[in-house]
Amino acid sequence: MSNTDNPFGGGYGAASGAQTVSFGTTPNGSAANAGELIRDTTTAGFSKDVIAESKTQPVLVDFWAPWCGPCKQLTPVLEKVVQAAGGRVKLVKMNIDDHPAIAGQLGIQSIPAVIAFSNGKPVDGFMGALPESKVKEFIDRIASPDGGRDEAVRSALEAAAHAAEAGDLDQASQIYAAVLAEIPDHVPALAGLANCLIELGDIEQARIVLERVPADKKDDAAVRAAEAKIALAEQVATLGDPVALEARLNENPKDHQARFDLAMIMNAKGQRNEAADHLLAIMKADRAWNDDGARKQLLQFFDAWGAGDEASATARRKLSSLLFS
């Protein structure tokens, strides 16, 4: 993955050259211009210009007409404040003389009327020619001051996740670290970076990263999953040779400790289904073994794998069948 895929740019631990999130910019970091922020629309173009666009950022629709004196006062104010907002909102103007249908559907009976759309739906609005200060208050109410940064963070987290899935853990780590340079307590980025470090074998650094998670966010599912992975990695380090464990099982299929240790090693190697099956086999043979240790370990696997993991779902079904059959 190239740095063009990373909205934050820069590298993990880089002291210089790293781009940071810039306020007053569009999500890709380039300065917003009037052509991108302000446009006229038609009845046919409303779905694309307003409904679809508002799913990315709030869109103000200015319903006006050429004969409307207050409209002529309000429109320049709207344009000025929208441009000053630097990409947090967009402005779409609709001449209701030429395109009356949308205004009629929204029940607009007098102009100027401004309706704010977000996530494809009208969420707020006002009528009349408000002064610039009131227009600014309206925009600040519907668009977070950090809207541009929020979009950049979202894009960065997606890029990091794609990099991790592709096996490019260094690139993913760089992106997560860049997010944390902007928002040090960002929980998804902390968990993401910790997971990358675990996969890279740097357990101690992963533990340090997780220590930065705010106390009231320690129960976050991604954080718990990373902590479970650390615990599993530490356990696996003491287990020994899988070939020797296989030999012990061949000699004695009731050697539950050998089977348990082999399950731990298989999990560490990413063989989740096989690891779960070994623990389920212990439970089937002797539920009480090691104080119900096989079931407890399987539940720890579920925490580490995450509820949405296919291996978790498969093993949970098998566990239910075993417990309730």
Side-chain angles (χ1 to χ4, degrees), residues 275-292:
D277 285 345
H278 274 301
L279 294 178
L280 289 165
I282 295 173
M283 292 177 60
K284 186 174 182 180
D286 184 358
R287 171 68 184 275
W289 177 80
N290 198 22
D291 192 23
D292 200 17

Side-chain angles (χ1 to χ4, degrees), residues 15-319:
S16 62
Q19 298 177 1
T20 58
V21 179
S22 300
F23 299 96
T25 62
T26 53
N28 65 8
S30 61
N33 60 55
E36 295 171 334
L37 297 179
I38 301 171
R39 68 169 56 196
D40 293 288
T41 194
T42 64
T43 302
F46 190 85
S47 178
K48 174 178 179 294
D49 294 338
V50 178
I51 303 301
E53 193 68 31
S54 72
K55 293 178 181 178
T56 301
Q57 65 195 121
V59 176
L60 306 185
V61 184
D62 176 18
F63 294 96
W64 68 285
W67 47 264
C68 171
C71 296
K72 296 176 182 179
Q73 298 173 18
L74 177 63
T75 298
V77 173
L78 279 172
E79 293 179 347
K80 177 182 178 182
V81 178
V82 167
Q83 290 181 33
R88 291 193 288 127
V89 297
K90 290 188 175 182
L91 174 63
V92 172
K93 298 181 289 184
M94 175 167 271
N95 181 342
I96 66 169
D97 279 358
D98 294 338
H99 306 284
I102 301 296
Q105 291 171 14
L106 292 172
I108 293 172
Q109 298 179 348
S110 64
I111 55 173
V114 175
I115 305 296
F117 283 75
S118 181
N119 293 320
K121 299 177 181 179
V123 294
D124 205 344
F126 65 85
M127 293 186 180
L130 297 184
E132 181 177 330
S133 61
K134 294 298 184 182
V135 173
K136 185 177 184 302
E137 288 178 8
F138 178 78
I139 288 178
D140 285 343
R141 186 167 71 247
I142 65 166
S144 164
D146 291 342
R149 184 181 74 172
D150 292 344
E151 176 62 21
V153 168
R154 184 192 64 77
S155 297
L157 293 177
E158 287 183 358
H162 289 318
E165 289 172 4
D168 193 346
L169 296 172
D170 287 329
Q171 174 71 2
S173 297
Q174 291 171 15
I175 300 173
Y176 286 129
V179 173
L180 293 169
E182 290 292 321
I183 314 173
D185 62 351
H186 193 276
V187 174
L190 287 168
L193 179 57
N195 275 302
C196 289
L197 291 168
I198 293 167
E199 295 297 327
L200 290 167
D202 195 344
I203 302 299
E204 186 56 35
Q205 189 61 37
R207 194 194 313 278
I208 291 172
V209 168
L210 291 178
E211 288 174 355
R212 295 164 53 187
V213 175
D216 61 342
K217 299 293 178 61
K218 294 290 187 181
D219 285 336
D220 179 86
V223 172
R224 288 183 57 198
E227 290 174 339
K229 287 181 180 179
I230 289 175
L232 291 174
E234 291 174 336
Q235 288 175 316
V236 168
T238 66
L239 295 179
D241 180 14
V243 175
L245 294 172
E246 289 276 13
R248 283 172 55 184
L249 273 180
N250 288 333
E251 292 177 6
N252 179 15
K254 293 183 179 181
D255 187 339
H256 298 324
Q257 187 62 56
R259 191 179 296 279
F260 183 92
D261 292 349
L262 194 58
M264 300 292 289
I265 293 174
M266 286 183 167
N267 175 67
K269 292 181 176 180
Q271 297 173 306
R272 294 179 175 180
N273 290 320
E274 294 83 350
D277 285 345
H278 274 301
L279 294 178
L280 289 165
I282 295 173
M283 292 177 60
K284 186 174 182 180
D286 184 358
R287 171 68 184 275
W289 177 80
N290 198 22
D291 192 23
D292 200 17
R295 185 185 64 85
K296 292 176 181 177
Q297 185 58 64
L298 187 56
L299 296 181
Q300 190 179 27
F301 281 170
F302 293 159
D303 274 344
W305 299 344
D309 185 84
E310 185 176 343
S312 289
T314 300
R316 282 187 190 279
R317 288 194 296 269
K318 293 179 179 179
L319 177 60

